[in-house]
Amino acid sequence: MPDTTIANHELNLASQSVEAKNTNAAEISKQLRANRHKRESRQALLKHLFLGFFAILMLYPLLWMMAASVKPENEIFGNLSIWPSAFHWDNYAHGWNRMQVSFTTFYANSFLVTILSVIGNLISCSFAAYAFARLTFDLKKFWFALMMMTLMIPYHVVLIPQYVLFLELGWVDTYLPLVVPRFLAADAFFIFLMVQFFRQLPRELDEAAMIDGCSPYKIYWAIIMPLSLPAMATAGIFSFIWVWEDFLAPLIYLNDMNNYTVPLALRLFVDQDSQSAFGQMFAMSVLSLVPVILVFVIFQKLIIKGIGMSGLK
Amino acid sequence: MSGLSLNGVCKSYGPVNVIKNLDLEVISGEFLVLVGPSGCGKSTLLRMIAGLEEITDGTISIGDRIVNDLPASQRNLSMVFQSYALYPHMSVRKNLAFGLTNLKMSKDEIKRRVDEASEILQIGNLMDRKPRQLSGGQKQRVAIGRAIVREPELFLFDEPLSNLDAELRVQMRVELAGLYNRLGTTMIYVTHDQVEAMTMATRIVVLREGKVEQVGTPYELYNRPQNLFVAGFIGSPKINMLETKCQSGNGASQIEIEDFGSAEIARLGSDSTAITVCVRPENFEINGSGVLSAKGKIVLIEYLGSELYLHLELSSGKRLMIKAPSKAEHLVGDEMSITIDIDNCHYFDEAGLRIEPAKMTEAA
Ligand SMILES: Nc1ncnc2c1ncn2[C@@H]1O[C@H](COP(=O)(O)OP(=O)(O)O)[C@@H](O)[C@H]1O
Ligand SMILES: [Mg+2]
């Protein structure tokens, strides 16, 4: 009997000390958590201040332009404040119809050129890339190197010979010089981008498709293409942005105002010497950004979807 | 159904000869396994048969028809790849049907074949999934299903089980064997795993550096390896190789093996003086006392449940692998003596080719 009581007593002591240990541990961990929380929120604050500063620095010109597009004419350059004293929304309506050709036409032109160019780039560059990545042909390495070299030549170097060529062809003042080269895989950058992407697709997929009776064309169309949506979306976005905002090539090849693209039309505001209309110009500039942003948002989803789809291994 | 024959087939990548003047007859309806160490050209050979790789020289015929220039899709064969190579953007059903659609087969026929394959492989509940939603074993089944639906004359497998874990591999091995029994189609199966080769094959081809070392049934390869390479490659754990001095006289050969001493055996069919005697781990008598006995110390014991493998170090420092019954009580550090079972030895000459003792040659 006495033995058991002693044993029980010891047991109680033991469980008490375990409890004490537990509460102690809980307190320590609470303390640690609080410390970490404090440390983290301090770091987060610093990080956000830093990022916010640079974000404002980067966004300032854009914000300035958006503000200027609704400011009264005399306030644009005279007043440092970004916030307009009054909102002149009619800058948009007047700007749209200020030229003898309306912006509706300019937008239609821009969309025509841009969409054709994007389609041309995607089709022709992916064809060329497929050939470089998968097919065997003579002097493949040589042609690839040659293609990469075109990346290193500045556009301004080939400008004059190219102009002469298109002049001889009678293509000046048409959209052909802007669009046709894109159907001929003239953009080495996109070819390179896609070659890199195609190369990581397992070759065994091609081979399985070959046994399944696919021609090289069918392999491209049924296997490579659907698996390359991310690369296609990337190429599509860049190609859209670059063509949409291209100023130099349209300036050189388009003469008739009816054929002008949006960036060319924007310049007309500056040319009109008599009466300044900067508010309207900025209004149109803001509008010209909308398609670029829309395209980016839409195609970006494809990039993400493409990444989510990769279960290749 | 028709057999396949390779005559003088060569393959080189630039200056490197990967397959060297290879002749091989594949009998219609057999399960032929190509086995060999990594890089010996197994995949290359299989891909040449499939039509995915150009042949540098020689001919490949299926039946009586030379198929050197026939595109892969017209050779009436299916291939299962090591990485499965399922089309990631298609559902399982589409993966199975893709090849048949390309053949412009009728919808009903495609459905019949796809349903049959899904029934055989029990993948009916996976049909609408994408490959990324499948486990390794399920992908494997789908890949096999894609091969079955074509109802080909010839199946090609390139290490199809090497990406699976050990348990699944054993299970799929059994299933593949079952599939072979059910379909009876000719199969050519590449593996570097000699256990897979031994268990599944009706015949095995051992390749080394693009050359055929031996062709035979698993039994022949294990019991009568034609050269040292095959002796060493087939069998796990590996065969023990003992360098041996040999003096062949009239009607008898005197062999002398380091640590084991010497013995007189039936005359070997060669006058080589330096030969190799190979003994499999199970062909030693433990604590025996016949001629050719040696003493050694146990340095490592591998317990496999049904048996034990003892790593024995002889006095010369040479190590042997000995199989012992699992109940035997051995401890690391124990001294023990072993005796070679002379009737179950393999002899190889200096060039590594098999030599037979006279009595066995007579018997054969
Ligand atoms: N496209 C290739 N170009 C050059 N060498 C190759 C090519 N494909 C395979 N080889 C070489 O051929 C040899 C055999 O390769 P492979 O058939 O894949 O071996 P394995 O028996 O492991 O399947 C290897 O040495 C490999 O390096
Ligand atoms: Mg291989």
Side-chain angles (χ1 to χ4, degrees):
Chain A
M1 206 49 162
D3 282 1
T4 42
T5 42
I6 291 171
N8 273 342
H9 183 66
E10 274 175 357
L11 210 67
N12 278 343
L13 273 183
S15 69
Q16 267 168 15
S17 77
V18 167
E19 251 167 46
K21 239 188 202 159
N22 275 346
T23 49
N24 213 359
E27 259 167 36
I28 292 175
S29 85
K30 201 166 136 198
Q31 186 67 39
L32 285 176
R33 242 189 333 241
N35 284 348
R36 194 175 62 209
H37 189 71
K38 226 159 65 194
R39 204 166 54 232
E40 274 173 2
S41 54
R42 206 167 42 227
Q43 280 171 357
L45 186 71
L46 272 175
K47 218 157 42 190
H48 281 91
L49 280 178
F50 183 77
L51 291 174
F53 173 74
F54 281 101
I56 290 172
L57 207 64
M58 305 293 283
L59 283 176
Y60 179 78
L62 188 67
L63 296 176
W64 187 91
M65 182 179 78
M66 287 165 87
S69 75
V70 291
K71 279 177 180 173
E73 205 63 32
N74 57 5
E75 211 179 277
I76 295 177
F77 297 110
N79 195 333
L80 270 182
S81 152
I82 269 200
W83 201 253
S85 62
F87 286 85
H88 281 234
W89 292 108
D90 51 1
N91 276 346
Y92 282 82
H94 292 156
W96 192 269
N97 291 314
R98 183 181 170 84
M99 315 296 157
Q100 60 259 46
V101 181
S102 103
F103 262 80
T104 316
T105 311
F106 300 141
Y107 269 86
N109 295 341
S110 261
F111 273 116
L112 181 73
V113 171
T114 309
I115 287 172
L116 284 178
S117 296
V118 170
I119 292 173
N121 262 340
L122 289 186
I123 294 178
S124 65
C125 293
S126 65
F127 258 68
Y130 177 65
F132 278 125
R134 284 296 204 261
L135 306 182
T136 46
F137 51 91
D138 290 340
L139 295 180
K140 183 157 131 177
K141 287 200 173 125
F142 170 76
W143 295 121
F144 192 74
L146 204 65
M147 181 204 76
M148 293 306 290
M149 267 163 58
T150 65
L151 271 181
M152 293 158 208
I153 304 171
Y155 181 57
H156 310 82
V157 172
V158 294
L159 195 63
I160 291 172
Q162 219 175 56
Y163 183 82
V164 173
L165 172 72
F166 289 129
L167 190 67
E168 294 292 318
L169 288 172
W171 286 5
V172 170
D173 209 18
T174 71
Y175 295 130
L176 294 176
L178 304 181
V179 169
V180 171
R182 261 110 193 188
F183 279 88
L184 300 175
D187 226 326
F189 175 74
F190 295 124
I191 301 180
F192 178 66
L193 186 94
M194 292 178 193
V195 167
Q196 293 305 93
F197 193 89
F198 292 169
R199 276 190 184 148
Q200 5 157 5
L201 297 175
R203 219 169 238 280
E204 291 190 342
L205 284 181
D206 298 44
E207 293 174 345
M210 238 183 259
I211 291 178
D212 269 343
C214 291
S215 61
Y217 178 76
K218 181 95 195 263
I219 293 176
Y220 163 81
W221 194 243
I223 310 290
I224 303 284
M225 259 309 194
L227 293 177
S228 302
L229 275 184
M232 294 295 143
T234 311
I237 289 178
F238 279 108
S239 150
F240 187 97
I241 294 176
W242 289 343
V243 178
W244 181 265
E245 66 182 20
D246 186 17
F247 178 72
L248 188 55
L251 176 71
I252 289 163
Y253 292 112
L254 302 178
N255 300 329
D256 184 350
M257 196 195 279
N258 281 306
N259 289 337
Y260 274 17
T261 57
V262 173
L264 278 188
L266 289 177
R267 195 198 52 164
L268 292 177
F269 282 100
V270 187
D271 283 353
Q272 312 257 311
D273 34 18
S274 53
Q275 196 192 344
S276 60
F278 285 110
Q280 296 173 12
M281 180 178 88
F282 290 130
M284 290 303 102
S285 301
V286 170
L287 283 189
S288 79
L289 291 180
V290 172
V292 172
I293 291 169
L294 279 184
V295 161
F296 187 79
V297 170
I298 295 167
F299 277 79
Q300 190 203 27
K301 282 206 182 112
L302 273 184
I303 296 184
I304 293 166
K305 190 176 158 230
I307 292 166
M309 196 176 85
S310 64
L312 296 176
K313 273 165 216 157
Chain B
M1 231 179 303
S2 45
L4 176 97
S5 59
L6 311 184
N7 291 305
V9 168
C10 298
K11 174 74 192 177
S12 41
Y13 292 108
V16 189
N17 294 328
V18 179
I19 301 288
K20 296 153 194 162
N21 196 17
L22 186 141
D23 294 311
L24 184 64
E25 288 292 328
V26 182
I27 302 160
S28 171
E30 78 174 326
F31 196 125
L32 186 80
V33 173
L34 300 178
V35 68
S38 259
C40 70
K42 307 178 296 288
S43 299
T44 308
L45 187 59
L46 200 71
R47 292 159 47 80
M48 288 198 294
I49 294 171
L52 297 172
E53 204 82 65
E54 294 241 349
I55 303 167
T56 311
D57 205 355
T59 60
I60 295 183
S61 7
I62 298 178
D64 313 323
R65 191 163 61 142
I66 292 180
V67 297
N68 283 25
D69 294 325
L70 206 61
S73 58
Q74 289 170 31
R75 295 189 184 192
N76 200 10
L77 46 80
S78 291
M79 182 156 172
V80 177
F81 294 86
Q82 182 174 3
S83 64
Y84 317 132
L86 300 177
Y87 309 122
H89 55 301
M90 298 183 196
S91 67
V92 169
R93 189 185 306 282
K94 279 222 176 113
N95 261 285
L96 295 189
F98 184 66
L100 305 182
T101 333
N102 289 338
L103 290 175
K104 309 246 158 43
M105 203 173 272
S106 77
K107 281 234 167 62
D108 293 340
E109 178 64 9
I110 294 178
K111 187 172 158 24
R112 183 188 72 74
R113 290 191 182 193
V114 169
D115 287 348
E116 191 181 314
S118 91
E119 150 108 36
I120 293 177
L121 295 162
Q122 300 174 340
I123 49 175
N125 54 334
L126 309 175
M127 295 308 272
D128 296 314
R129 293 204 198 164
K130 293 276 173 64
R132 68 168 183 281
Q133 297 165 312
L134 303 176
S135 70
Q138 291 169 333
K139 280 185 196 156
Q140 183 61 69
R141 274 163 209 270
V142 175
I144 293 172
R146 191 171 64 181
I148 293 178
V149 290
R150 297 172 55 86
E151 300 184 355
E153 285 179 67
L154 177 62
F155 281 102
L156 304 176
F157 295 91
D158 191 356
E159 309 208 14
L161 307 186
S162 59
N163 284 345
L164 301 178
D165 63 51
E167 194 183 342
L168 211 49
R169 206 178 304 159
V170 175
Q171 185 192 335
M172 286 306 294
R173 213 161 70 196
V174 174
E175 286 192 26
L176 271 176
L179 189 73
Y180 169 64
N181 287 336
R182 176 170 181 158
L183 301 176
T185 315
T186 317
M187 301 197 170
I188 303 182
Y189 185 103
V190 162
T191 179
H192 65 264
D193 178 353
Q194 51 102 10
V195 178
E196 251 171 53
M198 295 290 281
T199 51
M200 296 168 80
T202 49
R203 281 200 312 157
I204 297 178
V205 178
V206 181
L207 280 181
R208 177 167 72 152
E209 289 170 7
K211 286 208 177 98
V212 173
E213 292 284 324
Q214 187 173 355
V215 184
T217 62
Y219 183 89
E220 284 166 356
L221 258 59
Y222 192 78
N223 294 298
R224 287 176 62 90
Q226 289 305 302
N227 53 47
L228 262 181
F229 177 77
V230 176
F233 191 78
I234 299 291
S236 165
K238 229 177 126 158
I239 204 165
N240 297 291
M241 298 185 178
L242 303 165
E243 276 154 29
T244 303
K245 294 199 190 89
C246 175
Q247 216 72 54
S248 292
N250 276 344
S253 292
Q254 181 77 24
I255 56 170
E256 187 193 336
I257 309 176
E258 197 180 8
D259 299 310
F260 285 91
S262 35
E264 196 175 80
I265 57 169
R267 177 136 183 5
L268 293 172
S270 154
D271 291 326
S272 299
T273 53
I275 63 170
T276 308
V277 173
C278 289
V279 191
R280 296 211 182 269
E282 64 266 33
N283 295 133
F284 289 97
E285 191 186 343
I286 292 171
N287 296 328
S289 56
V291 284
L292 294 183
S293 291
K295 275 197 183 346
K297 200 169 85 177
I298 301 173
V299 290
L300 186 70
I301 298 176
E302 289 180 80
Y303 179 69
L304 295 183
S306 61
E307 64 227 9
L308 288 177
Y309 286 103
L310 309 174
H311 295 241
L312 204 66
E313 191 172 284
L314 304 180
S315 48
S316 66
K318 174 140 185 85
R319 286 201 181 185
L320 297 181
M321 178 82 96
I322 316 285
K323 182 176 156 181
S326 71
K327 295 277 165 54
E329 290 184 359
H330 297 286
L331 293 173
V332 172
D334 278 0
E335 289 275 338
M336 68 186 296
S337 73
I338 48 167
T339 305
I340 293 174
D341 173 2
I342 293 192
D343 294 334
N344 281 304
C345 289
H346 308 273
Y347 304 92
F348 299 93
D349 66 14
E350 286 147 317
L353 295 177
R354 183 180 186 85
I355 38 182
E356 301 281 5
K359 57 175 181 194
M360 280 183 76
T361 334
E362 277 160 20

